[in-house]
Structure formats: structure tokens, C-alpha cells
Amino acid sequence: MKIRVLLLLFLAIQACKSPEARYPVSQKTGSYIDESVALNKKMIAEEEEEIQEIIQADSSNEYLNSEDGFWYYYNNKNTDSLNTETPEFGDVVVFDYSIASIEGDPIYAEGEIPTREYAIDKEKLFTGLRQGLKLMKEGETLTFLFPSHKAYGYYGDKKKIGTNLPLNVKVTLLDIKKENDNQITN
């Protein structure tokens, strides 16, 4: 009888014990992520160096550096002092564009991509072009030089634009429809 009582007491004590954490058999470090970050930094630096070489070789255009990490120049600048508005969140813009490699070899030639309507920051569009459109005024044509991370990045467009490809994109902003003009009034 004593043995049964001791056994029951032992089981009761064991049952009240809190569970212990199980630790993984192997622990991974952040080395893969660290290597990936270092590789991406190196790739971006090489692309930006290539873009700087193109800019230095092109004395016919005045390149501007955007705060968002790409470069551009005006093919056609709107000098109308009455037309100073740029698109803002929700405005619908109508534009044409063509895409070339950073060296200027056509990928999608002018007219190959149909005229596009885009609601600023409400639809999908690659990062650089989304940011570039916000710099433009109606009637302007700009040429942008985008590093790959501002263009289609690692995935490309799964058609003609490959992986990690910096781009030369020429954009003409045809029309800006302000958001409050687009709303239906009752």
C-alpha cells in the first residue's frame, strides 16, 4: 500500500511540473541573409556605376538625380507658367512610354505599349515609373534611368525584361485628371 501511495504522489508531482521548451537540433545563423544583402549592395553599386558612366558620356542632356534613387532628363519640358501641377495620390494620368535597356537598345519600342491610364498610387506599376510620373507635368516627355531595383527587379516582366535589368524608360505624360474631377457629384 505504501508503494502505491508513493507512486501516486510521485505521478501527481510530475503532472504539476510545467512543460520544458524543446530546442531545435541545429540553429541557423543569419549568414544566408547577410550574404544576400552584401550581394544586392554590390549589384546596386555596379548598376549605379554603369548609369554614372552613361550620364558622363552623354553631354547633350542635363541629368537630374531624384530623391528616390534614379536619374532622368527632360526631352520636352513644359515651360507654361500656368501649367505647374504634377499628379498627386488618386489622380488619373494618361501616358505613353517605351522601354529600352540601359544602353538604349529597345525592349518595348515606342507605340508597342498601348497608351496607359493609371491612378496614382492606387494601381500596380513598377516602383520607378510610379515615382517618376509624380515628377511630371502634363505635356512633358522625360527619359528615366532606373536601376533594376526601381524597375522590374529580380523577376523581370516575365516576357521581354530579364532579371535584375536596369532600364532606360521614355515617358510622355498626356493628361492629368485630378481626383476631385473624377468623382461623381449628386
Side-chain angles (χ1 to χ4, degrees), residues 27-37:
Q27 293 182 353
K28 293 186 179 185
T29 64
S31 64
Y32 172 76
I33 293 172
D34 294 341
E35 289 173 24
S36 180
V37 167

Short mmCIF file of all heavy atoms in Angstrom, two decimals, residues 27-37:
data_model
loop_
_atom_site.label_atom_id
_atom_site.label_comp_id
_atom_site.label_asym_id
_atom_site.label_seq_id
_atom_site.Cartn_x
_atom_site.Cartn_y
_atom_site.Cartn_z
N GLN A 27 20.85 25.13 -35.06
CA GLN A 27 20.46 26.53 -35.06
C GLN A 27 21.09 27.21 -36.27
O GLN A 27 22.29 27.06 -36.50
CB GLN A 27 20.91 27.21 -33.77
CG GLN A 27 20.19 26.69 -32.56
CD GLN A 27 20.62 27.41 -31.29
OE1 GLN A 27 21.53 28.20 -31.29
NE2 GLN A 27 19.94 27.09 -30.20
N LYS A 28 20.27 27.95 -37.02
CA LYS A 28 20.76 28.64 -38.20
C LYS A 28 21.14 30.07 -37.82
O LYS A 28 20.50 30.70 -37.00
CB LYS A 28 19.71 28.68 -39.29
CG LYS A 28 19.40 27.30 -39.84
CD LYS A 28 18.45 27.40 -41.00
CE LYS A 28 18.19 26.00 -41.54
NZ LYS A 28 17.38 26.02 -42.73
N THR A 29 22.17 30.54 -38.48
CA THR A 29 22.57 31.93 -38.28
C THR A 29 22.03 32.74 -39.43
O THR A 29 21.49 32.21 -40.39
CB THR A 29 24.10 32.04 -38.21
OG1 THR A 29 24.62 31.63 -39.49
CG2 THR A 29 24.68 31.18 -37.11
N GLY A 30 22.22 34.01 -39.41
CA GLY A 30 21.76 34.90 -40.47
C GLY A 30 22.74 34.99 -41.62
O GLY A 30 22.71 35.94 -42.38
N SER A 31 23.64 34.03 -41.77
CA SER A 31 24.70 34.12 -42.78
C SER A 31 24.13 34.18 -44.20
O SER A 31 24.64 34.92 -45.03
CB SER A 31 25.68 32.96 -42.65
OG SER A 31 25.03 31.74 -42.91
N TYR A 32 23.08 33.43 -44.49
CA TYR A 32 22.49 33.47 -45.84
C TYR A 32 21.93 34.86 -46.13
O TYR A 32 22.15 35.42 -47.20
CB TYR A 32 21.39 32.43 -45.99
CG TYR A 32 20.63 32.55 -47.28
CD1 TYR A 32 21.20 32.11 -48.48
CD2 TYR A 32 19.38 33.15 -47.33
CE1 TYR A 32 20.54 32.26 -49.68
CE2 TYR A 32 18.70 33.30 -48.54
CZ TYR A 32 19.28 32.85 -49.70
OH TYR A 32 18.62 32.99 -50.89
N ILE A 33 21.23 35.42 -45.17
CA ILE A 33 20.67 36.75 -45.34
C ILE A 33 21.79 37.78 -45.47
O ILE A 33 21.73 38.66 -46.33
CB ILE A 33 19.72 37.10 -44.17
CG1 ILE A 33 18.49 36.19 -44.23
CG2 ILE A 33 19.31 38.56 -44.20
CD1 ILE A 33 17.58 36.29 -43.04
N ASP A 34 22.82 37.66 -44.66
CA ASP A 34 23.95 38.59 -44.73
C ASP A 34 24.62 38.53 -46.10
O ASP A 34 24.97 39.55 -46.68
CB ASP A 34 24.97 38.28 -43.64
CG ASP A 34 24.44 38.55 -42.24
OD1 ASP A 34 23.43 39.30 -42.12
OD2 ASP A 34 25.00 38.01 -41.27
N GLU A 35 24.80 37.31 -46.64
CA GLU A 35 25.40 37.14 -47.97
C GLU A 35 24.51 37.76 -49.03
O GLU A 35 25.00 38.41 -49.96
CB GLU A 35 25.61 35.66 -48.27
CG GLU A 35 26.70 35.00 -47.46
CD GLU A 35 26.76 33.50 -47.68
OE1 GLU A 35 26.29 33.02 -48.73
OE2 GLU A 35 27.28 32.80 -46.79
N SER A 36 23.21 37.57 -48.92
CA SER A 36 22.26 38.12 -49.89
C SER A 36 22.29 39.65 -49.87
O SER A 36 22.29 40.28 -50.93
CB SER A 36 20.86 37.60 -49.59
OG SER A 36 19.93 38.12 -50.49
N VAL A 37 22.32 40.24 -48.69
CA VAL A 37 22.38 41.70 -48.57
C VAL A 37 23.67 42.22 -49.19
O VAL A 37 23.65 43.19 -49.96
CB VAL A 37 22.27 42.13 -47.09
CG1 VAL A 37 22.63 43.59 -46.91
CG2 VAL A 37 20.87 41.84 -46.55
#
